[in-house]
Amino acid sequence: MNRQREVETQDRFPETHFQALKDARLSINHGGLSEFGGLWVGEHSKCRREHRSCVIDQLCADGLLDRIGRAPERTAAITETGLMTLDVSGGGQ
């Protein structure tokens, strides 16, 4: 049943958004996601993906990330809702 819930959640949640949330979770104690020239990257050393601004914009609009600061020195941090979303989907481990 948990596997079915995980698949259902990921089917409704685009992979690009899911990966950005995972990187934000991984970087929670390392400064979150930082913006570099229109792309966002996680500050944790294990984060290797770049995330497009439109993905971060949508996650912020959905209340899953909080954007902090002004361009070009913005960061984004995962919210409680974002953490719960990852936990439900199985990506918060």
Side-chain angles (χ1 to χ4, degrees), residues 18-30:
F18 185 70
Q19 291 301 324
L21 269 186
K22 285 177 69 173
D23 279 358
R25 168 63 182 100
L26 191 59
S27 299
I28 199 167
N29 294 319
H30 299 274

Side-chain angles (χ1 to χ4, degrees), residues 18 21-22 25 78 82-93:
F18 185 70
L21 269 186
K22 285 177 69 173
R25 168 63 182 100
I78 194 165
L83 289 170
M84 288 187 293
T85 300
L86 279 179
D87 287 344
V88 167
S89 67
Q93 302 167 352

Side-chain angles (χ1 to χ4, degrees), residues 5-91:
R5 181 184 301 163
E6 178 180 336
V7 170
E8 287 174 0
T9 302
Q10 288 180 1
D11 285 346
R12 289 181 271 151
F13 201 66
E15 183 65 24
T16 54
H17 294 59
F18 185 70
Q19 291 301 324
L21 269 186
K22 285 177 69 173
D23 279 358
R25 168 63 182 100
L26 191 59
S27 299
I28 199 167
N29 294 319
H30 299 274
L33 302 174
S34 294
E35 183 179 31
F36 295 100
L39 295 174
W40 293 76
V41 294
E43 291 295 331
H44 191 279
S45 61
K46 291 183 181 180
C47 296
R48 302 270 187 247
R49 293 181 180 231
E50 296 174 337
H51 308 285
R52 296 185 335 220
S53 287
C54 61
V55 171
I56 303 305
D57 291 345
Q58 185 60 54
L59 291 171
C60 288
D62 292 343
L64 303 176
L65 291 178
D66 276 334
R67 198 172 13 230
I68 304 151
R70 292 184 178 185
E73 297 180 7
R74 293 189 292 182
T75 60
I78 194 165
T79 63
E80 285 294 319
T81 304
L83 289 170
M84 288 187 293
T85 300
L86 279 179
D87 287 344
V88 167
S89 67

